Amino acid sequence: MLRLGMDVGGTNTDAVLVDDEGQVMASHKAPTTPDPLDGISAAISAVSVVADVSQIRRAMLGTTHSANAIIQRKGLGRVAVLRLAAPSSLAVSPGADWPDDLRQSVISDVAIIEGGYEYDGRVIAELDEAAVRRFSEAAARSGALAVSCAFSPANFEHELRVAEIIASELGDDFPVSLSHRVGTLGLLERENATILNSALLQVSRAVVDGLNNALRENGIEALSYITQNDGTLMTSQQALEMPVLSLGSGPTNSMRGACSLAGLSDAIVVDVGGTSTDVGILVDGFPRESAAAVYVGGVRTNFRMPDLISMGLGGGTIVRTEGTGVAVGPDSVGYRVTEEALVSGGEILTLSDVSVAGGRLTGFGDPARVEELDSSTIEQSLLWVDEHLASHCERMKASRQAMPLLAVGGGAHLVPGRVPGTSEVIRPHHYEVANAFGAAISEASGTVDRVYQYGSSSREECLESARAEALEAAVAAGADPGQARVTSVVEVPMTYVPGGGCRVQVKAAGPLGD
Amino acid sequence: MRTLTIDQVDDLALGATLLGTGGGGDPYVARLMLRQAINTYGPVTIADPHELPADGLVMTVAVVGAPTVLLEKIPAGTEFIASIEALASYLGRDPVALMPIEVGGLNTLLPLAVATEMGLPVIDADGMRRAFPQIEMTVFTLAGIKCSPMSVADEKGNLCVFETNTNQLGETLVRGAVMSLTLANAFSSYSMTVAEVEAHAIAGSVTYCTELGARLSAVQRGESGAYDRFLEFAEGRVIFSGVITDVHRETTQGFSKGTVTIEARDGTERSMKVAIQNEFLVAWENDRPVVTVPDLICILDAETATPITTETLRYGQRVNVVAMPCAPEWHRDGMLEVVGPKAFGFDLDYVRVGA
């Protein structure tokens, strides 16, 4: 069985074909096309020529489609927003903190109605079912409904009841996003993510249809998956309902790909692209997650995203001389580095030129075109690169202990052979397509999300049964039974009194089996 | 009187985060409430004491509860008005102005949102000009002004009004009431006359906070000379620069305690430890205390000048520790008993900034 991994980034579209042993059989890297689906189709053609296409049975895509749709405000659907929390929360309306243009293009109607829960599981107010029915007209006009509810991560009966009422009013197919399925504690952030999920449904439909068409056109009959922020896979059917969960999958894929290519599970990963560099940290093979609020297109969310530091440092970053000093970036020629850099025959001094002149990059362009470059310019620029990389690596570390550094991405040549605070610098084979490789090795996952009463049985028994069920769900989703394992356990106490309930979320994952 | 418009809300919120000295509650939700209130009811009127009748009644209003509950249960707005009206009814007089109990953290912005909805001015003063974790930790306590009578209200029409002999017991009763009223409530206290505000409160603190935020915002925008102007305004100094090498936390008795260790990166062996109890309380350089409460210890990200809260402290952050003197109104008899290091359980004498 072969796996096809794809990654659509801001600069490049990458694809790899991976065999049973995890070996890369073919890889492809090309600039991302104006319609990214064209680039996906071309990438699939390029890598699938080396193999018997009937052997390609799994296809995984990580893509910036959704993130770009939000950032560029393109292709987003209209959403009606219903919050179950009144009389609490009236002092801050849904969407209050959104950038005006995004709010106007996405949020059509909002209502805060009676319902929702206290921290201890009591209701703030009984759900106002008549108000839900009335609001269904607004939902029907918008085409999608997002529902948030106070303390729904611990108690989601009211959200489920709203979904039932809307199904009875508008039909089972009417798209309803419920906040407890999208995010964790933090009403406004979870509500924002739920609204974005509803707004992205059409974008997700286009991506899934486009991917499946591209596979068909190339004669590939594979199960198709979309990668999620946490490095696991959604079936394309799930992706149609929960597109927001794939918003930050690019960096995750890149980091997991890097770790697998290098055969390490704990490392600092430095992903150098054409325009920017992300520095993240892998613990046990998964990216460490961010504790701070994550902003997407100006909207505050509480997604569990990889904890990354980004900086304007890439192969296309522009270098300017100022008197006897140099100024590096933050602007970049991006993917046009293959035309505009000095070594490419262009007129712009970029970090790739400096890298060639400094001996870090070989086999790119014409080195003769940078022979005349002032040696002090080269030294100062590389010093700038080295200092920024070292300081960002230091910031990412959780302790003073030195860790290996994995350098990946098209601009990985810029990373020097030694970085202070790291034990060694490793550039794994195929480092330039680590992200597509990360998509290819993404794992199937299963989750259990249920309220347990610790009073009636012990906490350990409850957690054990939740773990077992999550593992079964992961296997049912395609994970290899021999390799599936529990990857996260989150407990949200519903009440602070003894004998009370606790929401337990367990996630299990494992590599895809046959 | 003057007005505070929507354009000044972000400066006020940034100043409030800084004066929170690592705690005080995230002003994020309060900022959204204030924006919504100004958009609905108009700008906030800010008054100095001499612009109001000397015998007029002033009271404080604030949010009280568990920070994790406030993440889910956003205020209605009505609970604050209910707590004010309950106290006014008990006293038999209506207030002529509202006042923040603390200018530092989220309770800086909240009274402004309530005031514009009620059509009342906010008096430009408070009881702390920084954040402290307990209700009795005010300059009012030094002046013998009681927080009692006090009211606690929720958004559903439940409320209580009570009296206590001491401000310490007032703190205890408020916590008890809040436990029963779902941990996200409004409370009003420290009713006093405008003349008492003029005599005892920290003057001009809302304006100070907005100005401080504006100067810090200039630093964040990278304006030339802005750091010096910010420090000069705050009468502050950078007491340490370095990298966070350890963050130790524990939660005991509802308070988040711990220490953060910062090591210099200038080739010396210097290091700084800062004690955390909700806020940053004491800073030691190489085991010698260099600043203690009630003076302010703020930790700023060295690159972005973002004030770092106790929850967002992380290994590897490059930081500047900025110390600022507490408001001069604190320097009165009894200060050290109420907010000195010993009031927080440290066996230390007060060390002033620059001492």
Side-chain angles (χ1 to χ4, degrees):
Chain A
M1 183 186 82
L2 301 177
R3 282 170 289 168
L4 174 62
M6 294 155 279
D7 180 273
V8 179
T11 306
N12 288 306
T13 296
D14 303 341
V16 294
L17 199 59
V18 178
D19 69 13
D20 272 337
E21 310 295 315
Q23 297 300 311
V24 176
M25 298 177 64
S27 69
H28 174 82
K29 190 179 201 76
T32 295
T33 46
D35 180 348
L37 292 167
D38 296 336
I40 292 174
S41 193
I44 293 174
S45 307
V47 294
S48 58
V49 294
V50 304
D52 171 4
V53 290
S54 70
Q55 291 299 305
I56 304 175
R57 298 221 288 273
R58 305 277 189 270
M60 298 85 163
L61 172 67
T63 174
T64 52
H65 271 89
S66 293
N68 281 344
I70 294 169
I71 291 162
Q72 298 168 3
R73 283 85 162 112
K74 274 165 69 177
L76 298 173
R78 305 272 293 163
V79 182
V81 185
L82 190 60
R83 184 194 293 166
L84 319 177
S88 87
S89 90
L90 292 168
V92 180
S93 301
D97 198 25
W98 285 39
D100 288 339
D101 60 338
L102 187 61
R103 183 175 55 241
Q104 282 154 16
S105 67
V106 170
I107 300 177
S108 61
D109 296 85
V110 302
I112 305 174
I113 66 168
E114 291 190 350
Y117 298 90
E118 305 284 2
Y119 76 92
D120 59 4
R122 285 179 288 171
V123 294
I124 292 173
E126 293 299 335
L127 179 62
D128 184 350
E129 299 199 355
V132 177
R133 289 198 175 82
R134 283 196 300 278
F135 197 69
S136 69
E137 289 172 27
R141 279 197 306 276
S142 303
L145 175 66
V147 184
S148 66
C149 169
F151 278 104
S152 68
N155 302 271
F156 35 86
E157 288 302 314
H158 283 178
E159 286 191 355
L160 294 177
R161 180 64 190 137
V162 169
E164 266 178 31
I165 295 170
I166 296 296
S168 72
E169 296 283 319
L170 303 176
D172 288 339
D173 293 342
F174 189 84
V176 178
S177 299
L178 303 180
S179 78
H180 76 273
R181 292 187 180 149
V182 172
T184 54
L185 289 173
L187 175 69
L188 297 178
E189 291 83 358
R190 184 173 72 251
E191 179 178 84
N192 287 343
T194 310
I195 301 169
L196 290 177
N197 191 64
S198 291
L200 287 168
L201 293 170
Q202 292 151 24
V203 172
S204 188
R205 166 61 69 184
V207 169
V208 168
D209 288 351
L211 171 62
N212 289 337
N213 285 338
L215 290 170
R216 249 194 317 276
E217 282 165 12
N218 286 283
I220 298 170
E221 289 180 40
L223 295 175
S224 59
Y225 299 88
I226 304 293
T227 61
Q228 304 188 75
N229 300 345
D230 65 0
T232 66
L233 297 166
M234 288 190 278
T235 63
S236 45
Q237 189 58 40
Q238 290 167 322
L240 291 177
E241 291 173 16
M242 303 299 288
V244 84
L245 299 182
S246 70
L247 260 184
S249 69
T252 308
N253 289 340
S254 161
M255 291 174 69
R256 295 197 67 246
C259 107
S260 181
L261 286 169
L264 289 172
S265 59
D266 295 84
I268 296 170
V269 179
V270 178
D271 184 356
V272 190
T275 302
S276 64
T277 293
D278 290 332
V279 180
I281 201 152
L282 279 162
V283 180
D284 271 347
F286 281 86
R288 184 173 76 203
E289 288 174 338
S290 172
V294 175
Y295 282 81
V296 181
V299 176
R300 180 160 149 143
T301 70
N302 57 359
F303 291 125
R304 301 177 73 181
M305 295 271 209
D307 188 8
L308 295 176
I309 312 177
S310 298
M311 59 185 141
L313 189 171
T317 298
I318 297 170
V319 179
R320 298 179 179 86
T321 50
E322 291 181 348
T324 59
V326 299
V328 183
D331 48 342
S332 167
V333 298
Y335 67 86
R336 299 189 315 277
V337 69
T338 52
E339 299 154 24
E340 300 197 6
L342 296 181
V343 291
S344 310
E347 297 300 325
I348 298 174
L349 178 59
T350 66
L351 282 180
S352 287
D353 297 308
V354 170
S355 192
V356 169
R360 292 188 185 179
L361 175 59
T362 53
F364 179 72
D366 178 8
R369 288 186 49 91
V370 289
E371 267 170 16
E372 303 293 303
L373 215 54
D374 182 30
S375 65
S376 138
T377 302
I378 299 166
E379 275 167 33
Q380 288 184 62
S381 306
L382 291 176
L383 187 66
W384 184 92
V385 168
D386 295 354
E387 284 177 356
H388 277 73
L389 287 173
S391 105
H392 284 71
C393 288
E394 183 69 23
R395 275 177 66 187
M396 285 312 290
K397 284 162 56 184
S399 74
R400 307 185 74 171
Q401 202 182 351
M403 301 175 84
L405 182 157
L406 297 177
V408 296
H413 55 84
L414 280 164
V415 180
R418 281 204 54 75
V419 175
T422 65
S423 57
E424 58 183 320
V425 172
I426 302 167
R427 259 171 280 266
H429 198 42
H430 298 298
Y431 66 80
E432 68 287 351
V433 287
N435 40 17
F437 186 77
I441 59 158
S442 288
E443 301 183 330
S445 68
T447 55
V448 167
D449 186 343
R450 188 176 310 150
V451 174
Y452 286 89
Q453 299 295 327
Y454 286 165
S456 52
S457 51
S458 79
R459 173 170 170 273
E460 282 65 32
E461 282 168 3
C462 293
L463 292 180
E464 198 41 54
S465 104
R467 281 197 185 92
E469 272 189 64
L471 285 167
E472 275 173 36
V475 171
D480 178 350
Q483 297 186 69
R485 73 222 175 277
V486 171
T487 54
S488 83
V489 178
V490 178
E491 298 176 75
V492 184
M494 272 176 60
T495 135
Y496 296 173
V497 297
C502 186
R503 181 186 184 187
V504 176
Q505 294 166 284
V506 180
K507 183 154 195 164
L512 291 176
D514 297 328
Chain B
M1 295 197 215
R2 52 201 180 276
T3 56
L4 187 139
T5 64
I6 198 131
D7 299 332
Q8 293 166 288
V9 171
D10 287 350
D11 284 343
L12 179 69
L14 182 59
T17 308
L18 185 76
L19 293 174
T21 66
D26 184 354
Y28 174 68
V29 167
R31 181 169 64 89
L32 298 186
M33 285 177 64
L34 179 53
R35 293 177 67 95
Q36 182 162 323
I38 291 175
N39 283 329
T40 311
Y41 304 104
V44 186
T45 302
I46 308 286
D48 289 323
H50 68 83
E51 296 172 302
L52 297 165
D55 61 349
L57 179 70
V58 178
M59 59 180 70
T60 69
V61 63
V63 67
V64 58
T68 48
V69 172
L70 292 166
L71 287 178
E72 274 297 314
K73 220 179 145 197
I74 312 297
T78 53
E79 59 274 60
F80 302 101
I81 295 172
S83 77
I84 291 162
E85 288 178 349
L87 198 53
S89 159
Y90 185 81
L91 293 165
R93 303 170 64 192
D94 287 329
V96 298
L98 302 180
M99 177 168 63
I101 186 170
E102 58 182 334
V103 166
L106 75 91
N107 278 328
T108 311
L109 289 82
L110 194 119
L112 279 68
V114 180
T116 183
E117 178 167 2
M118 294 184 76
L120 288 172
V122 170
I123 200 161
D124 193 358
D126 83 316
M128 302 184 194
R129 209 178 82 182
R130 55 161 296 156
F132 276 127
Q134 288 170 219
I135 293 163
E136 79 277 11
M137 294 177 167
T138 60
V139 294
F140 309 133
T141 298
L142 303 186
I145 297 173
K146 286 182 167 185
C147 59
S148 169
M150 350 180 39
S151 62
V152 177
D154 73 6
E155 74 288 358
K156 298 169 191 159
N158 301 302
L159 60 86
C160 58
V161 181
F162 49 83
E163 294 210 41
T164 61
N165 282 328
T166 66
N167 289 356
Q168 283 75 6
L169 184 58
E171 156 77 24
T172 309
L173 277 188
V174 166
R175 301 288 159 188
V178 166
M179 281 299 290
S180 308
L181 290 176
T182 68
L183 292 174
N185 299 113
F187 85 103
S188 291
S189 61
Y190 285 116
S191 50
M192 63 187 86
T193 63
V194 169
E196 285 176 307
V197 172
E198 189 156 26
H200 303 298
I202 298 171
S205 41
V206 174
T207 301
Y208 173 86
C209 183
T210 314
E211 298 274 318
L212 188 67
R215 281 163 178 77
L216 185 56
S217 175
V219 175
Q220 296 182 345
R221 288 192 303 270
E223 288 180 16
S224 157
Y227 222 116
D228 289 339
R229 287 194 296 276
F230 158 67
L231 289 174
E232 187 183 357
F233 181 82
E235 299 172 66
R237 53 176 71 191
V238 177
I239 57 168
F240 203 82
S241 296
V243 175
I244 295 179
T245 55
D246 187 49
V247 182
H248 174 74
R249 287 194 184 89
E250 52 189 286
T251 302
T252 43
Q253 293 157 359
F255 290 107
S256 157
K257 297 189 177 185
T259 49
V260 54
T261 308
I262 305 157
E263 290 184 5
R265 283 289 187 265
D266 56 2
T268 66
E269 294 291 305
R270 296 187 310 129
S271 71
M272 174 162 279
K273 274 195 195 330
V274 179
I276 307 164
Q277 267 181 39
N278 291 7
E279 285 85 32
F280 302 123
L281 298 184
V282 179
W284 293 266
E285 185 175 328
N286 297 348
D287 298 328
R288 183 177 61 89
V290 288
V291 182
T292 72
V293 275
D295 284 1
L296 286 73
I297 300 163
C298 309
I299 301 185
L300 300 180
D301 185 288
E303 281 163 45
T304 63
T306 305
I308 298 175
T309 62
T310 58
E311 296 88 14
T312 55
L313 287 168
R314 292 278 295 280
Y315 174 93
Q317 280 167 330
R318 272 152 211 279
V319 299
N320 292 321
V321 183
V322 174
M324 295 156 38
C326 63
E329 287 85 349
W330 272 111
H331 288 282
R332 291 176 191 156
D333 288 347
M335 168 181 83
L336 295 180
E337 287 74 35
V338 176
V339 292
K342 292 191 175 71
F344 293 89
F346 295 97
D347 187 19
L348 292 173
D349 292 327
Y350 170 42
V351 183
R352 300 177 69 150
V353 174

